[in-house]
Amino acid sequence: MSRLVIVSNRVGDPRKAAAGGLAVALGDALSTAGGLWFGWSGHIAEGTDAEPELREQRAGAVRLVTFDLSKEDHDSYYLGYSNQALWPALHYRLDLADFGSGFFAGYQRVNRLFARKLAPLLEPGDTIWIHDYHLIPLAAELRRLGCRQRIGFFLHIPLPPPPIFAAIPGHEWLMRSFFAYDLVGLQTRADADHFGRYVVEEAGGRSLGDGCCEAYGDRVLVRPFPIGIDVDEFRRLALSSESRETERTLREQYGHRRVLVGIDRLDYSKGIPKRLRAFRELLANYPENRNSATLIQIASPTRETLLAYEDIRHELEGLAGEINGEYGELAWMPIRYMHRTWARRRLPGLYRVAKVALVTPLRDGMNLVAKEYVAMQDPADPGVLVLSRFAGAAEQMREALLANPYDISGMAQVIQQALHMPLAERRERHKALAAGIREHDVHRWRTDFLRALADVPRDRPTAASAPA
Ligand code: ADQ
Protein backbone atom coordinates (compact mmCIF):
# COMPACT_ATOMS: atom_id res chain seq x y z
CA MET A 1 0.00 0.00 0.00
CA SER A 2 1.40 3.43 -0.88
CA ARG A 3 2.11 6.01 1.79
CA LEU A 4 -0.73 8.44 2.43
CA VAL A 5 0.04 12.17 2.51
CA ILE A 6 -2.79 14.37 3.69
CA VAL A 7 -2.66 18.09 3.16
CA SER A 8 -5.10 20.48 4.75
CA ASN A 9 -5.01 24.09 5.80
CA ARG A 10 -4.77 23.21 9.48
CA VAL A 11 -3.12 20.08 10.79
CA GLY A 12 -4.92 18.39 13.63
CA ASP A 13 -3.37 16.01 16.09
CA PRO A 14 -5.28 12.75 15.49
CA ARG A 15 -4.80 11.83 19.15
CA LYS A 16 -6.84 14.84 20.25
CA ALA A 17 -10.56 15.10 19.76
CA ALA A 18 -10.98 18.53 18.19
CA ALA A 19 -14.11 20.52 17.40
CA GLY A 20 -14.46 20.54 13.63
CA GLY A 21 -15.60 17.90 11.18
CA LEU A 22 -12.42 17.96 9.14
CA ALA A 23 -9.98 17.28 11.99
CA VAL A 24 -12.16 14.54 13.35
CA ALA A 25 -12.59 12.72 10.04
CA LEU A 26 -8.95 12.97 8.99
CA GLY A 27 -7.63 11.92 12.36
CA ASP A 28 -9.57 8.72 11.92
CA ALA A 29 -8.27 8.23 8.37
CA LEU A 30 -4.58 8.74 9.20
CA SER A 31 -4.46 6.73 12.40
CA THR A 32 -5.44 3.70 10.35
CA ALA A 33 -3.23 4.23 7.30
CA GLY A 34 -0.20 5.95 8.88
CA GLY A 35 1.68 8.53 6.81
CA LEU A 36 2.20 12.26 6.73
CA TRP A 37 -0.12 15.16 7.50
CA PHE A 38 1.08 18.48 6.16
CA GLY A 39 -0.27 22.00 6.63
CA TRP A 40 -0.26 25.34 8.40
CA SER A 41 0.58 25.21 12.12
CA GLY A 42 -2.15 27.68 13.03
CA HIS A 43 0.53 30.15 14.18
CA ILE A 44 1.55 33.46 12.69
CA ALA A 45 5.30 33.96 12.30
CA GLU A 46 7.12 36.89 13.87
CA GLY A 47 8.55 39.04 11.08
CA THR A 48 7.57 38.44 7.48
CA ASP A 49 10.52 37.96 5.19
CA ALA A 50 12.18 34.68 6.02
CA GLU A 51 11.08 31.46 4.32
CA PRO A 52 9.16 29.58 7.05
CA GLU A 53 10.78 26.53 8.60
CA LEU A 54 9.11 23.17 8.81
CA ARG A 55 8.37 21.65 12.20
CA GLU A 56 7.79 17.98 12.71
CA GLN A 57 5.97 16.04 15.42
CA ARG A 58 4.94 12.44 15.64
CA ALA A 59 1.51 11.23 16.64
CA GLY A 60 1.75 7.46 16.77
CA ALA A 61 2.30 6.23 13.20
CA VAL A 62 1.64 9.69 11.79
CA ARG A 63 4.19 12.44 10.99
CA LEU A 64 2.73 15.91 11.43
CA VAL A 65 4.68 18.52 9.47
CA THR A 66 3.70 22.17 9.80
CA PHE A 67 4.91 25.69 9.12
CA ASP A 68 3.88 29.18 10.26
CA LEU A 69 2.33 31.79 7.98
CA SER A 70 3.34 35.43 7.88
CA LYS A 71 0.71 37.92 9.03
CA GLU A 72 0.27 39.16 5.47
CA ASP A 73 -0.23 35.66 4.08
CA HIS A 74 -2.60 34.72 6.89
CA ASP A 75 -4.72 37.81 6.32
CA SER A 76 -4.94 37.54 2.54
CA TYR A 77 -4.97 33.76 1.98
CA TYR A 78 -6.82 32.54 5.07
CA LEU A 79 -9.00 35.35 6.40
CA GLY A 80 -9.25 36.97 2.98
CA TYR A 81 -9.70 34.79 -0.07
CA SER A 82 -10.55 31.51 1.72
CA ASN A 83 -12.95 32.82 4.31
CA GLN A 84 -14.30 36.09 2.93
CA ALA A 85 -14.50 35.10 -0.74
CA LEU A 86 -14.68 31.33 -1.25
CA TRP A 87 -16.49 30.32 1.94
CA PRO A 88 -19.50 32.62 1.39
CA ALA A 89 -19.55 32.18 -2.41
CA LEU A 90 -19.50 28.37 -2.23
CA HIS A 91 -22.25 28.55 0.41
CA TYR A 92 -24.38 30.52 -2.11
CA ARG A 93 -23.83 33.80 -0.21
CA LEU A 94 -22.49 36.07 -2.92
CA ASP A 95 -23.99 38.96 -0.94
CA LEU A 96 -21.43 38.35 1.81
CA ALA A 97 -18.46 37.59 -0.46
CA ASP A 98 -15.59 40.06 -0.55
CA PHE A 99 -13.29 39.57 -3.51
CA GLY A 100 -11.03 42.30 -2.12
CA SER A 101 -7.84 43.30 -3.82
CA GLY A 102 -4.83 41.38 -2.62
CA PHE A 103 -6.84 38.39 -1.39
CA PHE A 104 -6.50 36.44 -4.62
CA ALA A 105 -2.75 37.12 -4.92
CA GLY A 106 -2.30 35.92 -1.32
CA TYR A 107 -4.26 32.76 -2.07
CA GLN A 108 -2.05 31.96 -5.04
CA ARG A 109 1.13 32.85 -3.15
CA VAL A 110 0.34 30.61 -0.17
CA ASN A 111 -0.70 27.69 -2.37
CA ARG A 112 2.68 28.05 -4.10
CA LEU A 113 4.35 28.10 -0.68
CA PHE A 114 2.52 24.91 0.35
CA ALA A 115 3.75 23.24 -2.85
CA ARG A 116 7.34 24.45 -2.42
CA LYS A 117 7.48 23.17 1.16
CA LEU A 118 5.73 19.89 0.51
CA ALA A 119 7.38 18.76 -2.75
CA PRO A 120 10.76 17.81 -1.16
CA LEU A 121 9.01 15.61 1.40
CA LEU A 122 7.22 13.50 -1.20
CA GLU A 123 8.24 10.03 -2.32
CA PRO A 124 7.47 8.70 -5.81
CA GLY A 125 4.88 6.13 -4.68
CA ASP A 126 2.93 8.47 -2.38
CA THR A 127 -0.78 9.02 -2.64
CA ILE A 128 -1.60 12.65 -1.92
CA TRP A 129 -4.99 13.68 -0.59
CA ILE A 130 -5.62 17.43 -0.44
CA HIS A 131 -8.52 18.90 1.52
CA ASP A 132 -10.85 21.78 1.14
CA TYR A 133 -11.34 25.17 -0.40
CA HIS A 134 -8.16 26.75 0.96
CA LEU A 135 -6.05 24.54 -1.29
CA ILE A 136 -7.91 24.12 -4.59
CA PRO A 137 -4.88 25.13 -6.75
CA LEU A 138 -2.33 23.07 -4.80
CA ALA A 139 -2.23 20.11 -7.22
CA ALA A 140 -1.55 22.48 -10.13
CA GLU A 141 1.33 24.03 -8.15
CA LEU A 142 2.74 20.60 -7.30
CA ARG A 143 2.46 19.48 -10.93
CA ARG A 144 4.39 22.57 -11.95
CA LEU A 145 7.20 21.40 -9.62
CA GLY A 146 7.20 18.03 -11.37
CA CYS A 147 5.10 15.94 -8.97
CA ARG A 148 3.60 13.02 -10.83
CA GLN A 149 2.01 11.17 -7.92
CA ARG A 150 -1.69 10.46 -7.73
CA ILE A 151 -3.38 13.49 -6.21
CA GLY A 152 -6.95 13.55 -4.97
CA PHE A 153 -8.96 16.46 -3.64
CA PHE A 154 -11.98 16.52 -1.36
CA LEU A 155 -14.18 19.59 -0.99
CA HIS A 156 -15.87 19.61 2.41
CA ILE A 157 -18.23 22.45 1.56
CA PRO A 158 -20.83 22.76 -1.22
CA LEU A 159 -20.07 23.33 -4.88
CA PRO A 160 -22.82 25.69 -6.09
CA PRO A 161 -24.54 25.62 -9.49
CA PRO A 162 -22.86 27.31 -12.47
CA PRO A 163 -24.58 30.73 -12.25
CA ILE A 164 -23.22 31.14 -8.69
CA PHE A 165 -19.78 29.61 -9.29
CA ALA A 166 -19.37 31.78 -12.39
CA ALA A 167 -19.90 34.92 -10.30
CA ILE A 168 -16.55 34.34 -8.58
CA PRO A 169 -13.93 36.54 -10.23
CA GLY A 170 -11.33 34.15 -11.62
CA HIS A 171 -13.77 31.22 -11.64
CA GLU A 172 -12.24 29.88 -14.87
CA TRP A 173 -8.86 29.68 -13.18
CA LEU A 174 -10.33 27.95 -10.13
CA MET A 175 -12.14 25.41 -12.30
CA ARG A 176 -9.03 24.71 -14.37
CA SER A 177 -7.19 24.09 -11.10
CA PHE A 178 -9.48 21.13 -10.40
CA PHE A 179 -8.25 19.48 -13.58
CA ALA A 180 -4.74 19.02 -12.16
CA TYR A 181 -6.17 16.36 -9.83
CA ASP A 182 -6.74 12.72 -10.65
CA LEU A 183 -9.90 12.64 -8.57
CA VAL A 184 -12.15 15.37 -7.13
CA GLY A 185 -14.50 14.24 -4.36
CA LEU A 186 -17.59 16.24 -3.43
CA GLN A 187 -20.08 15.71 -0.62
CA THR A 188 -23.25 15.07 -2.64
CA ARG A 189 -24.61 14.01 -5.98
CA ALA A 190 -26.05 17.53 -6.37
CA ASP A 191 -22.55 19.06 -5.95
CA ALA A 192 -21.12 16.65 -8.53
CA ASP A 193 -23.95 17.55 -10.94
CA HIS A 194 -23.14 21.24 -10.50
CA PHE A 195 -19.53 20.54 -11.40
CA GLY A 196 -20.55 18.61 -14.52
CA ARG A 197 -22.95 21.35 -15.56
CA TYR A 198 -20.25 24.02 -15.20
CA VAL A 199 -17.92 21.98 -17.38
CA VAL A 200 -20.56 21.85 -20.12
CA GLU A 201 -22.21 25.26 -19.79
CA GLU A 202 -19.25 27.48 -18.88
CA ALA A 203 -16.10 25.65 -19.95
CA GLY A 204 -17.44 24.25 -23.23
CA GLY A 205 -16.36 20.77 -22.11
CA ARG A 206 -18.11 17.41 -21.94
CA SER A 207 -19.46 15.14 -19.25
CA LEU A 208 -18.44 11.64 -20.33
CA GLY A 209 -20.50 9.75 -17.76
CA ASP A 210 -19.58 8.02 -14.50
CA GLY A 211 -18.12 11.30 -13.22
CA CYS A 212 -15.56 11.76 -15.96
CA CYS A 213 -15.37 15.42 -17.04
CA GLU A 214 -13.41 16.67 -20.02
CA ALA A 215 -12.38 20.31 -20.58
CA TYR A 216 -9.28 22.41 -21.24
CA GLY A 217 -7.82 19.48 -23.18
CA ASP A 218 -7.78 17.38 -20.01
CA ARG A 219 -9.88 15.02 -17.93
CA VAL A 220 -10.76 14.68 -14.27
CA LEU A 221 -12.93 12.23 -12.38
CA VAL A 222 -15.52 13.96 -10.16
CA ARG A 223 -17.65 11.88 -7.81
CA PRO A 224 -19.69 12.24 -4.62
CA PHE A 225 -18.20 10.72 -1.47
CA PRO A 226 -20.57 11.65 1.37
CA ILE A 227 -18.55 11.98 4.56
CA GLY A 228 -19.70 10.15 7.68
CA ILE A 229 -18.78 9.71 11.32
CA ASP A 230 -17.06 6.93 13.21
CA VAL A 231 -20.18 5.53 14.85
CA ASP A 232 -18.38 3.22 17.27
CA GLU A 233 -15.83 5.81 18.33
CA PHE A 234 -18.62 8.27 19.05
CA ARG A 235 -20.58 5.68 21.00
CA ARG A 236 -17.46 4.95 23.04
CA LEU A 237 -17.26 8.64 23.93
CA ALA A 238 -20.69 8.25 25.46
CA LEU A 239 -19.15 5.95 28.06
CA SER A 240 -16.70 8.62 29.21
CA SER A 241 -17.23 10.10 32.65
CA GLU A 242 -17.69 13.57 31.10
CA SER A 243 -20.50 12.37 28.86
CA ARG A 244 -22.23 10.47 31.63
CA GLU A 245 -21.90 13.40 34.02
CA THR A 246 -23.36 15.75 31.38
CA GLU A 247 -26.27 13.42 30.79
CA ARG A 248 -26.96 13.05 34.50
CA THR A 249 -26.85 16.79 35.17
CA LEU A 250 -29.10 17.58 32.23
CA ARG A 251 -31.62 14.91 33.18
CA GLU A 252 -31.73 16.26 36.73
CA GLN A 253 -32.19 19.79 35.53
CA TYR A 254 -34.60 19.19 32.66
CA GLY A 255 -36.18 15.88 33.72
CA HIS A 256 -39.78 16.94 33.20
CA ARG A 257 -39.13 19.23 30.23
CA ARG A 258 -38.44 18.55 26.60
CA VAL A 259 -34.95 19.45 25.49
CA LEU A 260 -34.15 20.48 21.94
CA VAL A 261 -30.56 20.86 20.92
CA GLY A 262 -28.60 22.88 18.37
CA ILE A 263 -24.82 22.47 18.08
CA ASP A 264 -22.85 24.43 15.52
CA ARG A 265 -19.86 26.55 14.85
CA LEU A 266 -21.12 30.10 15.02
CA ASP A 267 -21.31 30.61 11.27
CA TYR A 268 -23.91 32.38 9.16
CA SER A 269 -24.25 29.26 6.99
CA LYS A 270 -25.64 27.32 9.94
CA GLY A 271 -28.92 29.28 10.03
CA ILE A 272 -28.98 29.74 13.82
CA PRO A 273 -30.95 33.03 13.92
CA LYS A 274 -33.71 31.60 11.72
CA ARG A 275 -33.78 28.53 13.98
CA LEU A 276 -34.28 30.75 17.05
CA ARG A 277 -37.04 32.66 15.24
CA ALA A 278 -38.75 29.38 14.39
CA PHE A 279 -38.51 28.37 18.05
CA ARG A 280 -40.09 31.70 19.04
CA GLU A 281 -42.89 31.02 16.57
CA LEU A 282 -43.35 27.57 18.07
CA LEU A 283 -43.89 29.14 21.50
CA ALA A 284 -46.25 31.73 20.03
CA ASN A 285 -48.34 29.37 17.88
CA TYR A 286 -48.31 26.26 20.04
CA PRO A 287 -48.54 27.53 23.65
CA GLU A 288 -48.55 24.02 25.09
CA ASN A 289 -44.78 24.10 24.61
CA ARG A 290 -44.35 27.05 26.97
CA ASN A 291 -42.93 26.10 30.32
CA SER A 292 -41.89 22.84 28.71
CA ALA A 293 -39.67 22.99 25.62
CA THR A 294 -36.12 24.25 26.17
CA LEU A 295 -33.69 24.84 23.34
CA ILE A 296 -30.04 24.35 24.29
CA GLN A 297 -28.05 26.10 21.59
CA ILE A 298 -24.28 25.81 21.67
CA ALA A 299 -22.41 27.88 19.11
CA SER A 300 -18.65 27.53 19.17
CA PRO A 301 -16.53 30.61 18.40
CA THR A 302 -14.94 30.62 14.96
CA ARG A 303 -13.23 33.24 12.74
CA GLU A 304 -14.03 35.81 15.38
CA THR A 305 -12.04 38.59 13.76
CA LEU A 306 -14.29 38.79 10.70
CA LEU A 307 -17.10 41.33 10.70
CA ALA A 308 -19.79 38.95 9.39
CA TYR A 309 -19.13 36.70 12.40
CA GLU A 310 -19.31 39.57 14.85
CA ASP A 311 -22.66 40.58 13.34
CA ILE A 312 -24.17 37.15 13.70
CA ARG A 313 -22.92 36.86 17.25
CA HIS A 314 -24.67 40.08 18.23
CA GLU A 315 -27.81 39.05 16.39
CA LEU A 316 -27.94 35.77 18.28
CA GLU A 317 -27.31 37.30 21.68
CA GLY A 318 -30.07 39.83 20.98
CA LEU A 319 -32.53 37.18 19.80
CA ALA A 320 -31.92 34.79 22.68
CA GLY A 321 -32.37 37.67 25.13
CA GLU A 322 -35.59 38.83 23.45
CA ILE A 323 -37.16 35.37 23.42
CA ASN A 324 -36.20 34.66 27.03
CA GLY A 325 -37.49 38.10 28.02
CA GLU A 326 -40.78 37.56 26.24
CA TYR A 327 -41.55 33.98 27.30
CA GLY A 328 -39.26 33.10 30.21
CA GLU A 329 -40.56 32.32 33.70
CA LEU A 330 -38.74 32.25 36.98
CA ALA A 331 -38.47 28.47 36.75
CA TRP A 332 -38.09 28.12 32.95
CA MET A 333 -35.99 29.77 30.31
CA PRO A 334 -36.90 28.85 26.72
CA ILE A 335 -33.38 29.21 25.37
CA ARG A 336 -30.03 28.32 26.88
CA TYR A 337 -27.55 29.90 24.56
CA MET A 338 -23.82 29.27 25.00
CA HIS A 339 -21.19 30.85 22.85
CA ARG A 340 -18.41 28.37 23.39
CA THR A 341 -16.91 25.10 22.24
CA TRP A 342 -18.05 22.10 24.21
CA ALA A 343 -15.55 19.35 24.91
CA ARG A 344 -16.26 16.61 22.39
CA ARG A 345 -16.54 14.09 25.21
CA ARG A 346 -19.54 15.91 26.63
CA LEU A 347 -21.54 16.00 23.39
CA PRO A 348 -22.96 12.44 23.54
CA GLY A 349 -24.54 13.19 26.92
CA LEU A 350 -26.29 16.21 25.47
CA TYR A 351 -27.44 14.39 22.33
CA ARG A 352 -28.93 11.61 24.45
CA VAL A 353 -31.02 13.93 26.56
CA ALA A 354 -32.39 15.89 23.59
CA LYS A 355 -35.81 14.82 22.28
CA VAL A 356 -35.23 16.83 19.12
CA ALA A 357 -32.11 18.02 17.30
CA LEU A 358 -32.38 21.13 15.16
CA VAL A 359 -29.85 20.92 12.34
CA THR A 360 -31.09 23.68 10.09
CA PRO A 361 -28.24 25.22 8.07
CA LEU A 362 -29.05 27.53 5.18
CA ARG A 363 -26.41 25.55 3.31
CA ASP A 364 -23.93 22.91 4.48
CA GLY A 365 -21.51 20.59 2.71
CA MET A 366 -22.69 17.64 4.81
CA ASN A 367 -23.20 18.34 8.54
CA LEU A 368 -21.88 15.77 10.96
CA VAL A 369 -23.92 16.93 13.94
CA ALA A 370 -26.98 15.35 12.27
CA LYS A 371 -25.19 12.01 12.11
CA GLU A 372 -23.76 12.25 15.64
CA TYR A 373 -27.25 12.91 17.01
CA VAL A 374 -28.72 9.86 15.31
CA ALA A 375 -25.81 7.70 16.52
CA MET A 376 -26.51 8.60 20.13
CA GLN A 377 -30.23 7.88 20.25
CA ASP A 378 -31.73 5.00 22.20
CA PRO A 379 -33.41 2.82 19.51
CA ALA A 380 -36.20 1.99 21.94
CA ASP A 381 -37.08 5.64 22.55
CA PRO A 382 -35.24 7.75 20.00
CA GLY A 383 -35.34 11.51 19.52
CA VAL A 384 -36.25 13.19 16.24
CA LEU A 385 -33.89 14.89 13.82
CA VAL A 386 -35.14 18.06 12.15
CA LEU A 387 -32.84 18.56 9.19
CA SER A 388 -32.54 21.37 6.68
CA ARG A 389 -33.16 20.24 3.14
CA PHE A 390 -30.12 22.37 2.26
CA ALA A 391 -27.65 20.36 4.33
CA GLY A 392 -25.71 17.85 2.22
CA ALA A 393 -26.81 15.25 4.79
CA ALA A 394 -30.41 15.63 3.56
CA GLU A 395 -29.51 13.79 0.36
CA GLN A 396 -28.94 10.62 2.41
CA MET A 397 -31.02 11.15 5.55
CA ARG A 398 -34.45 11.16 3.95
CA GLU A 399 -36.16 9.77 7.07
CA ALA A 400 -35.36 12.89 9.08
CA LEU A 401 -38.05 15.57 9.25
CA LEU A 402 -36.86 17.80 6.45
CA ALA A 403 -37.37 21.53 6.88
CA ASN A 404 -36.90 24.66 4.82
CA PRO A 405 -34.88 27.01 7.05
CA TYR A 406 -36.10 30.06 5.13
CA ASP A 407 -39.72 29.27 6.02
CA ILE A 408 -39.94 30.23 9.69
CA SER A 409 -43.60 29.23 10.23
CA GLY A 410 -43.09 26.02 8.30
CA MET A 411 -40.07 25.23 10.46
CA ALA A 412 -42.11 25.92 13.65
CA GLN A 413 -44.69 23.42 12.41
CA VAL A 414 -42.02 20.82 11.73
CA ILE A 415 -40.57 21.32 15.23
CA GLN A 416 -44.06 20.86 16.67
CA GLN A 417 -44.45 17.64 14.67
CA ALA A 418 -41.05 16.45 15.96
CA LEU A 419 -41.93 17.21 19.59
CA HIS A 420 -45.16 15.25 19.35
CA MET A 421 -44.22 12.38 17.07
CA PRO A 422 -45.63 9.01 18.20
CA LEU A 423 -43.12 6.45 19.45
CA ALA A 424 -43.73 3.96 16.62
CA GLU A 425 -42.93 6.57 13.96
CA ARG A 426 -39.85 7.77 15.86
CA ARG A 427 -38.55 4.22 16.04
CA GLU A 428 -39.18 3.55 12.38
CA ARG A 429 -37.46 6.71 11.21
CA HIS A 430 -34.56 6.20 13.58
CA LYS A 431 -34.01 2.64 12.47
CA ALA A 432 -33.59 3.71 8.85
CA LEU A 433 -31.37 6.69 9.76
CA ALA A 434 -29.15 4.61 12.06
CA ALA A 435 -28.64 2.00 9.34
CA GLY A 436 -27.69 4.75 6.89
CA ILE A 437 -25.07 6.41 9.09
CA ARG A 438 -23.55 3.05 9.87
CA GLU A 439 -23.36 2.08 6.20
CA HIS A 440 -21.96 5.45 5.11
CA ASP A 441 -19.52 5.98 7.95
CA VAL A 442 -16.14 7.72 7.90
CA HIS A 443 -14.31 4.49 7.11
CA ARG A 444 -16.45 3.87 4.06
CA TRP A 445 -15.83 7.51 2.98
CA ARG A 446 -12.07 7.12 3.29
CA THR A 447 -11.80 3.72 1.66
CA ASP A 448 -14.18 4.58 -1.19
CA PHE A 449 -12.22 7.75 -1.94
CA LEU A 450 -8.78 6.17 -1.73
CA ARG A 451 -9.86 3.15 -3.78
CA ALA A 452 -11.33 5.38 -6.49
CA LEU A 453 -8.11 7.43 -6.48
CA ALA A 454 -5.97 4.30 -6.81
CA ASP A 455 -8.15 3.13 -9.70
CA VAL A 456 -8.01 6.29 -11.83
CA PRO A 457 -6.41 5.37 -15.16
CA ARG A 458 -3.27 7.46 -15.63
CA ASP A 459 -3.11 7.92 -19.36
CA ARG A 460 -2.67 11.67 -19.43
CA PRO A 461 0.30 13.98 -19.10
CA THR A 462 0.12 15.06 -15.46
CA ALA A 463 1.38 18.62 -15.90
CA ALA A 464 -1.05 19.51 -18.69
CA SER A 465 -3.62 21.13 -16.49
CA ALA A 466 -1.62 23.57 -14.46
CA PRO A 467 -3.33 26.89 -15.19
CA ALA A 468 -1.02 29.86 -15.65
P1 ADQ B 1 -18.15 22.15 9.91
O1 ADQ B 1 -18.72 23.36 9.22
O2 ADQ B 1 -17.25 22.42 11.05
O3 ADQ B 1 -17.43 21.18 8.87
P2 ADQ B 1 -19.96 19.90 10.88
O4 ADQ B 1 -20.05 18.87 9.84
O5 ADQ B 1 -21.24 20.15 11.56
O6 ADQ B 1 -19.48 21.33 10.40
O7 ADQ B 1 -18.86 19.37 11.88
C1 ADQ B 1 -18.81 19.87 13.11
C2 ADQ B 1 -18.05 18.98 14.06
O8 ADQ B 1 -17.65 19.83 15.09
C3 ADQ B 1 -18.91 17.89 14.65
O9 ADQ B 1 -18.12 16.79 14.99
C4 ADQ B 1 -19.46 18.56 15.91
O10 ADQ B 1 -19.70 17.68 16.97
C5 ADQ B 1 -18.35 19.53 16.27
N1 ADQ B 1 -18.93 20.78 16.82
C6 ADQ B 1 -19.70 21.68 16.18
N2 ADQ B 1 -20.10 22.66 16.99
C7 ADQ B 1 -19.58 22.38 18.20
C8 ADQ B 1 -19.64 23.02 19.46
N3 ADQ B 1 -20.35 24.15 19.66
N4 ADQ B 1 -18.96 22.46 20.47
C9 ADQ B 1 -18.28 21.31 20.28
N5 ADQ B 1 -18.19 20.67 19.11
C10 ADQ B 1 -18.83 21.19 18.08
C11 ADQ B 1 -17.18 21.19 7.45
C12 ADQ B 1 -18.40 21.42 6.54
C13 ADQ B 1 -19.49 20.42 6.86
C14 ADQ B 1 -18.95 19.00 6.74
C15 ADQ B 1 -17.65 18.85 7.53
C16 ADQ B 1 -16.99 17.51 7.26
O11 ADQ B 1 -18.89 22.76 6.71
O12 ADQ B 1 -20.60 20.59 5.98
O13 ADQ B 1 -19.90 18.09 7.24
O14 ADQ B 1 -16.71 19.85 7.18
O15 ADQ B 1 -16.75 17.35 5.90
Side-chain angles (χ1 to χ4, degrees):
M1 200 171 96
S2 77
R3 186 177 72 148
L4 180 61
V5 176
I6 284 182
V7 190
S8 60
N9 172 57
R10 288 289 297 273
V11 170
D13 185 334
R15 294 165 306 184
K16 292 185 189 150
L22 183 57
V24 174
L26 293 186
D28 287 337
L30 266 178
S31 315
T32 312
L36 176 73
W37 192 347
F38 182 86
W40 172 42
S41 61
H43 299 299
I44 296 179
E46 309 278 321
T48 52
D49 293 338
E51 181 80 2
E53 281 175 19
L54 295 182
R55 260 192 305 267
E56 180 162 342
Q57 284 172 275
R58 287 205 85 92
V62 184
R63 279 171 73 195
L64 308 174
V65 181
T66 57
F67 60 96
D68 299 346
L69 285 178
S70 70
K71 169 104 176 61
E72 191 192 349
D73 283 349
H74 170 261
D75 290 357
S76 57
Y77 147 81
Y78 178 71
L79 289 181
Y81 198 74
S82 297
N83 285 321
Q84 290 181 81
L86 285 182
W87 175 271
L90 297 186
H91 282 90
Y92 299 53
R93 293 300 301 271
L94 291 169
D95 58 317
L96 293 178
D98 180 352
F99 302 105
S101 62
F103 287 176
F104 185 56
Y107 185 69
Q108 289 180 306
R109 188 171 63 243
V110 172
N111 270 275
R112 237 171 270 138
L113 174 67
F114 264 75
R116 205 163 60 240
K117 291 285 171 196
L118 174 61
L121 305 179
L122 296 175
E123 295 164 10
D126 285 347
T127 295
I128 303 164
W129 190 3
I130 295 171
H131 289 262
D132 233 359
Y133 57 103
H134 318 83
L135 300 173
I136 295 169
L138 182 54
E141 296 298 345
L142 286 168
R143 299 284 185 226
R144 201 170 278 126
L145 297 178
C147 294
R148 307 187 69 81
Q149 291 87 343
R150 282 176 195 274
I151 312 183
F153 177 81
F154 186 77
L155 184 66
H156 289 257
I157 67 175
L159 192 106
I164 294 180
F165 196 87
I168 301 171
H171 60 96
E172 303 91 341
W173 177 87
L174 266 183
M175 185 50 76
R176 282 188 76 111
S177 303
F178 283 119
F179 280 75
Y181 290 95
D182 294 286
L183 174 67
V184 170
L186 300 169
Q187 295 275 26
T188 64
R189 168 116 343 255
D191 294 325
D193 287 347
H194 296 155
F195 192 106
R197 273 178 49 204
Y198 180 102
V199 165
V200 175
E201 293 167 22
E202 296 283 336
R206 294 192 299 163
S207 218
L208 301 173
D210 208 20
C212 183
C213 294
E214 187 179 80
Y216 317 112
D218 210 340
R219 284 184 184 178
V220 64
L221 194 61
V222 181
R223 294 220 181 116
F225 295 91
I227 198 167
I229 62 165
D230 185 332
V231 178
D232 293 325
E233 180 259 358
F234 207 72
R235 290 233 177 103
R236 274 196 298 277
L237 277 187
L239 303 175
S240 69
S241 54
E242 290 96 325
S243 174
R244 291 213 294 234
E245 171 65 21
T246 302
E247 185 174 346
R248 201 177 49 78
T249 313
L250 288 171
R251 284 201 196 282
E252 267 171 30
Q253 212 175 340
Y254 296 100
H256 56 296
R257 306 199 195 281
R258 280 190 270 196
V259 173
L260 300 90
V261 72
I263 297 181
D264 312 78
R265 282 187 305 101
L266 206 177
D267 192 287
Y268 47 79
S269 66
K270 303 290 182 186
I272 313 172
K274 291 198 192 310
R275 183 184 306 163
L276 262 52
R277 289 196 173 89
F279 188 68
R280 171 159 63 189
E281 198 131 330
L282 175 91
L283 298 177
N285 296 351
Y286 306 97
E288 66 269 29
N289 295 305
R290 294 183 204 164
N291 248 314
S292 162
T294 298
L295 170 58
I296 300 180
Q297 174 63 56
I298 301 177
S300 58
T302 178
R303 305 170 202 164
E304 296 276 279
T305 51
L306 299 182
L307 200 60
Y309 290 79
E310 204 177 299
D311 289 350
I312 188 176
R313 180 179 166 182
H314 287 138
E315 187 182 0
L316 274 178
E317 282 164 2
L319 259 175
E322 271 172 36
I323 298 169
N324 282 341
E326 200 173 339
Y327 291 101
E329 304 282 347
L330 273 181
W332 168 72
M333 277 298 148
I335 297 185
R336 294 279 168 177
Y337 168 65
M338 281 159 269
H339 177 233
R340 79 179 80 107
T341 301
W342 260 37
R344 192 166 163 71
R345 286 173 171 279
R346 292 178 69 198
L347 290 181
L350 177 52
Y351 287 138
R352 279 163 98 99
V353 172
K355 298 280 178 219
V356 174
L358 301 181
V359 180
T360 57
L362 305 179
R363 196 58 68 175
D364 217 330
M366 178 55 62
N367 195 300
L368 297 177
V369 170
K371 298 189 173 185
E372 291 169 356
Y373 177 71
V374 168
M376 286 327 302
Q377 296 310 297
D378 173 2
D381 183 18
V384 180
L385 172 64
V386 173
L387 179 62
S388 162
R389 52 178 296 182
F390 304 122
E395 206 172 82
Q396 297 175 299
M397 304 180 84
R398 306 306 292 179
E399 297 81 7
L401 281 188
L402 295 186
N404 172 3
Y406 293 94
D407 175 2
I408 303 292
S409 313
M411 203 156 38
Q413 267 175 33
V414 174
I415 299 172
Q416 172 72 353
Q417 189 189 342
L419 281 167
H420 299 92
M421 187 181 284
L423 177 63
E425 184 180 350
R426 282 191 279 129
R427 280 185 179 163
E428 202 176 313
R429 286 177 184 268
H430 176 262
K431 193 172 170 197
L433 288 169
I437 59 160
R438 173 144 315 266
E439 187 185 345
H440 292 277
D441 70 356
V442 73
H443 306 295
R444 163 93 181 259
W445 169 73
R446 177 188 73 234
T447 48
D448 282 359
F449 184 93
L450 290 174
R451 194 172 299 134
L453 180 56
D455 287 348
V456 177
R458 306 209 76 208
D459 51 1
R460 65 184 172 106
T462 47
S465 302

